[in-house]
Amino acid sequence: MPEFNEADLQQKAKDHLWMHFTRQSVMEDGHGVPIIVRGEGHHIYDSKGNKYFDGLSGLFVVNAGHGRKRLAEVAAKQAEELAFFPLWSYAHPNAIELADRLAGYAPGDLNRVFFSTGGGEAVETAFKLAKQYWKLQGRHTKHKVISRAVAYHGTPQGALAITGIPGMKEMFEPLVPGGFRVPNTNYYRAEEMGFHGTEEEFGLWAANRIEEMILFEGPETVAAVFLEPVQNSGGCFPPPPGYFKRVREICDEYDVLLVSDEVICAFGRLGHMFACDAYDYIPDMITCAKGMTSGYSPIGATIVSDRIYEPFKHGATAFYHGYTFGGHPVSAAVALENLNIFEEEKINEHVRENSPKFRAALERLLDLPIVGDVRGDGYFFGIELVKNKVTKQTFNDDESERLLRGFLSKALFDAGLYCRADDRGDPVIQLAPPLTIGPAEFDEIESILRTVLTEAWSRL
Ligand SMILES: Cc1ncc(COP(=O)(O)O)c(C=O)c1O
């Protein structure tokens, strides 16, 4: 392993590196940042030689696990052969093969693939495409987009208009106009949204809020609804039974496009190549990125139905949109090889078989006074932390700050588990480990969480 000069790296980071979504004051106060230097399987190593369990696959990315030599080799081979060529009027074999492969995995008639370099760009692409599609139909006023409270859909200004987290938007206002929010599917907190009833009834109720918003705004003004199969931000909200069936009906009734934002959920996270298959709905577009290459090279894609693509087939019509690095030859080669690994190792089947065991291991934590809810699907779970289990009372801003930032994130990391303590909604711990792990590792995660959460409770 190469040697790292820790002090030198920390100084350079302090002087020059601007981290993402991070208070730079952590640099300024001299504590330094964790510097991750290597990955192997479901483990990562820092510059001081410490080993950690990667409980978040980097950032919901390294689905096939770290250290896969064949993905590195395929990238090197492609870079030697053709390092770069754009998809602007030209093509290259890997982009063609990957588009064919993705269309084959996608449900229904989602047959057309527009590449980007990441998730936010894929969402931005879907937003622009929805607007132009309706204009090409002569329905010029259909431009608004609906998404759910606390949902994260990326940072470009269009995607940010779809993102439902006010604290990430207000400093950049005004954004692209036309973004509207409906309730999410947090059944644990459904009563706070004014709903009382069964989970099935909640599914219908939550879906009908989309219809209500379409009617409030006027169906002739609404272009698309953006939904994640399982909403990440807020802490893993799976769809209640019947939710997507009703959403699909509503979208069909009012001519509104349904975009399945699968930037996290695709490529095995829920045990399917595309997560809409897990919940049996066919969207009009899928946005995806992260796990497509398991992170060995960046890529994103917007996959579109024949119906949306149809008007673009003719005459002088074009989609004036693109990215220099969209569908990059190296990334596309890596994606194809990553998908080969998925097939050969039956990763989706492995996730589907083991997900109930993962859930059961995490549900053991419900005996702790601080654990209010365990929810999620596939290899994607959130653990909501509460101050009072009976009343579901959550932590105030000050307590959240002390608990999550002041203690939990660091304590979990020090205990050898890299995961995420998030307070974009109520405080949650998020887990999305590499899809290769099994029951022994579920127990390991549970044991670390138990120790650290017990300590957290005693400090409150
Ligand atoms: C659902 C969803 N959409 C979009 C994005 C943005 O993706 P990226 O960070 O690759 O731009 C993310 C990122 O986590 C996401 O989770």
Side-chain angles (χ1 to χ4, degrees):
M1 194 167 103
E3 286 291 307
F4 295 94
N5 183 334
E6 175 71 18
D8 182 51
L9 282 175
Q10 290 294 353
Q11 189 59 48
K12 286 176 177 161
K14 185 174 176 193
D15 290 346
H16 301 294
L17 184 65
W18 200 329
M19 292 186 295
H20 297 206
F21 281 106
T22 307
R23 295 178 186 171
Q24 285 295 107
S25 58
V26 300
M27 295 276 206
E28 298 299 327
D29 71 12
H31 279 89
V33 289
I35 300 172
I36 306 302
V37 298
R38 193 168 74 84
E40 187 62 48
H42 59 275
H43 288 114
I44 48 173
Y45 297 81
D46 70 13
S47 48
K48 298 172 190 159
N50 298 314
K51 179 181 176 183
Y52 305 90
F53 194 127
D54 182 357
L56 201 63
S57 305
L59 196 57
F60 313 95
V61 168
V62 191
N63 289 5
H66 297 273
R68 296 264 191 181
K69 283 215 168 36
R70 62 190 271 198
L71 295 182
E73 282 162 7
V74 111
K77 185 161 168 281
Q78 182 56 47
E80 260 179 40
E81 203 164 287
L82 177 71
F84 175 74
F85 218 76
L87 296 178
W88 304 48
S89 307
Y90 293 80
H92 51 79
N94 292 335
I96 297 169
E97 293 293 348
L98 183 58
D100 175 69
R101 190 86 173 261
L102 294 176
Y105 290 136
D109 67 345
L110 276 76
N111 288 320
R112 190 64 50 171
V113 181
F114 192 99
F115 286 113
S116 51
T117 71
E121 288 178 356
V123 170
E124 192 75 13
T125 300
F127 190 177
K128 288 172 78 174
L129 197 45
K131 286 164 112 173
Q132 189 177 352
Y133 170 76
W134 288 119
K135 285 192 170 54
L136 289 170
Q137 305 302 306
R139 299 171 77 172
H140 295 264
T141 55
K142 278 174 97 64
H143 72 281
K144 295 177 187 168
V145 283
I146 295 173
S147 56
R148 295 182 292 198
V150 203
Y152 181 79
H153 293 283
T155 52
Q157 298 213 30
L160 198 55
I162 301 172
T163 286
I165 309 169
M168 284 185 185
K169 297 156 60 125
E170 55 205 19
M171 56 294 250
F172 309 117
E173 300 277 2
L175 298 171
V176 176
F180 293 85
R181 232 65 56 210
V182 293
N184 57 43
T185 59
N186 183 356
Y187 184 57
Y188 182 64
R189 300 219 170 260
E191 291 187 1
E192 293 166 30
M193 300 182 218
F195 173 82
H196 302 265
T198 65
E199 203 169 350
E200 281 76 8
E201 290 162 349
F202 178 59
L204 204 60
W205 178 88
N208 284 337
R209 301 288 69 75
I210 295 174
E211 179 180 44
E212 187 175 66
M213 185 58 82
I214 293 172
L215 292 172
F216 277 158
E217 288 302 313
E220 257 329 288
T221 71
V222 182
V225 177
F226 284 73
L227 304 172
E228 288 170 272
V230 172
Q231 180 174 325
N232 170 48
S233 186
C236 270
F237 305 138
Y243 178 78
F244 274 110
K245 182 169 181 286
R246 179 70 190 125
V247 170
R248 184 67 265 182
E249 281 168 10
I250 293 166
C251 288
D252 288 343
E253 184 172 350
Y254 299 104
D255 282 343
V256 169
L257 304 181
L258 173 56
V259 182
S260 192
D261 185 355
E262 308 202 2
V263 169
I264 288 178
C265 294
F267 307 112
R269 184 55 55 203
L270 301 185
H272 297 265
M273 282 302 186
F274 290 112
C276 48
D277 281 342
Y279 303 117
D280 206 19
Y281 65 95
I282 301 181
D284 300 293
M285 294 191 237
I286 293 174
T287 50
C288 56
K290 296 189 187 260
M292 199 190 312
T293 60
S294 288
Y296 287 72
S297 195
I299 198 166
T302 305
I303 309 172
V304 174
S305 72
D306 289 342
R307 174 169 72 111
I308 312 286
Y309 177 66
E310 205 287 330
F312 293 91
K313 276 164 85 170
H314 309 287
T317 306
F319 184 37
Y320 285 107
H321 177 71
Y323 302 99
T324 298
F325 288 147
H328 193 286
V330 172
S331 300
V334 172
L336 286 164
E337 191 68 356
N338 181 52
L339 296 170
N340 289 341
I341 291 175
F342 266 68
E343 301 280 3
E344 287 164 27
E345 298 183 13
K346 299 196 182 321
I347 287 184
N348 287 315
E349 292 83 341
H350 175 79
V351 168
R352 292 204 296 272
E353 188 186 322
N354 284 281
S355 172
K357 296 174 204 163
F358 194 7
R359 182 192 300 277
L362 296 177
E363 281 180 348
R364 294 204 297 266
L365 296 167
L366 283 165
D367 66 355
L368 298 178
I370 196 172
V371 174
D373 195 25
V374 173
R375 55 188 178 240
D377 208 349
Y379 271 28
F380 185 28
F381 287 99
I383 299 169
E384 181 164 339
L385 306 179
V386 288
K387 209 164 138 181
N388 184 323
K389 265 168 105 109
V390 179
T391 61
K392 300 185 183 174
Q393 186 190 3
T394 191
F395 299 94
N396 62 33
D397 288 352
D398 197 41
E399 290 162 337
S400 243
E401 173 80 20
R402 273 193 292 125
L403 180 71
L404 294 184
R405 292 208 176 75
F407 176 71
L408 264 181
S409 299
K410 184 167 183 313
L412 286 166
F413 195 60
D414 289 347
L417 178 63
Y418 164 73
C419 61
R420 185 172 188 176
D422 192 8
D423 64 351
R424 290 180 292 183
D426 296 304
V428 284
I429 292 176
Q430 288 174 301
L431 293 163
L435 308 179
T436 45
I437 69 167
E441 288 78 29
F442 305 151
D443 288 345
E444 193 182 336
I445 291 175
E446 190 265 346
S447 157
I448 297 174
L449 286 172
R450 176 171 295 279
T451 307
V452 175
L453 290 174
T454 304
E455 163 82 10
W457 182 252
S458 73
R459 283 167 169 257
L460 278 170

